[in-house]
Amino acid sequence: MVEENGAACEPTFLCITCLYGSIWRLKTVDLKEPGSSPMEDLRKEKRKSDDSGSAEAASPFDLLRETAVSWTGALPCGGWDCECAFGRQQGCCCVAKPLFELEEATFTRLVGLWEGLTHLNSQIEEVTAGCKISFTAAMLPMSGCLGPFTSNMSISYQSVSLNQGNGYNAALGTFTAPHAGLYSFSFSAYSKVGDADRLYQKVQLMKNGQLIASSWEDNREDSEDSSTQTVLLQLRRGCQVYVELLSGRQLCGDTQGSNTFSGYLIYPFSE
C-alpha cells in the first residue's frame, strides 16, 4: 500500500494484473530467463522472503499484490497509466484515461450526428414548407348553356370547396403552382340537352397554353353525357393549369354542379 499526503492508495486489480504480466515479460523475454511460469517465480520469491517454513501459502492474488506494492522504479505497463493507481489518486483505475478518451470521442460523434440530423430536418422543412396544396371547384349550377364562344374560353369554376395553399383563382379558373412538384389534376365535363338538340362539347386541360388532355362529345343519339380525365404533371413554381371550352362548343343543363376541376400536390421537389 502506498500513502501520499496521508491518504492510502490501494492498487487496483487491473493494474496488479498488468504489472504481473510485465514482470513475466521482463523475466522470461527481456532478461532471457527461461524456466518456470511467472507465478512459480513469484512463489519462490515469496518463500525466500518467509522467515519460517511453516508460513501459510499465499494466494496468487496476494502474491501479485505484494509484488506490485513492492515494485520499485517505473511501472512497465505500456500505455496504461498504472503510476496513477500506485502513487497518486485513491481508487484510481488503469483504464480511466482510455475510458475518458472513449467517452469524449463518443460524445463528439453524437454531437456530429445530432448536427447532421438537425441540418437534414431543416432541409426537409425547407422543401416541404407550404406544400399542403390542393383545391376543388365546380361550375355554378345553371339551367342554360355555357357557350358557344367565338374563341376558346377558360372555364371559371366559381364554387370553391377547397383551396389549400391558395393556388386556385376562381375568377380566372386558373391554378398557379405555389411550389415546384408533381401534381395530379382532374376535370369532369357534363352536359344535358333537349331531345331536339345534339351534344356538342369539348373541354381541354391546358398547361401554360399547351394542350394536355381533352374530353369531347358530338352526337344526336344521347341527350346527356359526362366524362372525367385525370393527369399527372410536373410543374415549376408559377406554372398555370386551367380548363377551357373549345370555340363553337357548349356545356348545358348542369343544374347540380357536375362540371368540376380539382388538383393537388403529390410531392414537391426543389428547382
Side-chain angles (χ1 to χ4, degrees), residues 100-264:
F100 176 76
E101 292 174 350
L102 177 61
E103 180 183 6
E104 286 292 306
T106 302
F107 178 76
T108 302
R109 178 60 175 165
L110 288 175
V111 170
L113 290 174
W114 176 258
E115 291 177 349
L117 288 174
T118 301
H119 180 64
L120 177 61
N121 186 58
S122 299
Q123 288 181 318
I124 293 174
E125 289 183 354
E126 181 180 352
V127 172
T128 59
C131 289
K132 295 180 179 180
I133 302 170
S134 58
F135 74 96
T136 298
M139 289 177 55
L140 295 175
M142 60 179 182
S143 56
C145 296
L146 176 68
F149 302 105
T150 58
S151 61
N152 295 353
M153 180 66 64
S154 175
I155 300 175
S156 177
Y157 299 88
Q158 296 186 358
S159 178
V160 180
S161 57
L162 175 66
N163 191 15
Q164 194 169 24
N166 297 316
Y168 178 69
N169 187 321
L172 300 177
T174 302
F175 172 80
T176 303
H179 199 287
L182 180 67
Y183 289 79
S184 173
F185 292 96
S186 298
F187 67 95
S188 296
Y190 170 86
S191 189
K192 180 179 180 180
V193 297
D195 295 336
D197 297 325
R198 67 169 180 168
L199 288 172
Y200 191 55
Q201 65 191 52
K202 184 175 183 180
V203 296
Q204 49 195 27
L205 183 71
M206 309 293 292
K207 170 190 170 183
N208 294 335
Q210 176 187 2
L211 175 63
I212 301 299
S214 64
S215 175
W216 61 276
E217 185 72 32
D218 182 7
N219 71 73
R220 294 182 180 276
E221 297 178 2
D222 298 328
S223 61
E224 182 180 16
D225 209 342
S226 66
S227 61
T228 300
Q229 292 272 17
T230 300
V231 298
L232 298 180
L233 293 177
Q234 290 187 1
L235 301 182
R236 301 173 64 90
R237 182 177 181 179
C239 285
Q240 293 187 329
V241 179
Y242 55 93
V243 178
E244 66 179 15
L245 179 64
L246 202 66
S247 63
R249 308 298 177 97
Q250 59 185 2
L251 295 172
C252 303
D254 183 9
T255 59
Q256 302 296 323
S258 299
N259 283 277
T260 61
F261 180 35
S262 62
Y264 60 92

Side-chain angles (χ1 to χ4, degrees), residues 22-85:
S22 300
I23 293 173
W24 186 7
R25 289 195 298 272
L26 287 173
K27 291 177 67 63
T28 61
V29 180
D30 298 337
L31 299 181
K32 308 298 183 182
E33 294 184 4
S36 59
S37 70
M39 185 60 68
E40 293 176 355
D41 293 338
L42 291 175
R43 287 198 176 96
K44 289 178 181 179
E45 293 176 6
K46 174 63 177 174
R47 283 194 294 270
K48 290 179 182 179
S49 64
D50 289 339
D51 296 331
S52 165
S54 61
E56 184 179 352
S59 68
F61 182 80
D62 291 334
L63 292 174
L64 288 173
R65 188 175 187 282
E66 291 183 16
T67 303
V69 172
S70 63
W71 181 265
T72 58
L75 296 173
C77 293
W80 293 59
D81 189 13
C82 289
E83 183 66 33
C84 173

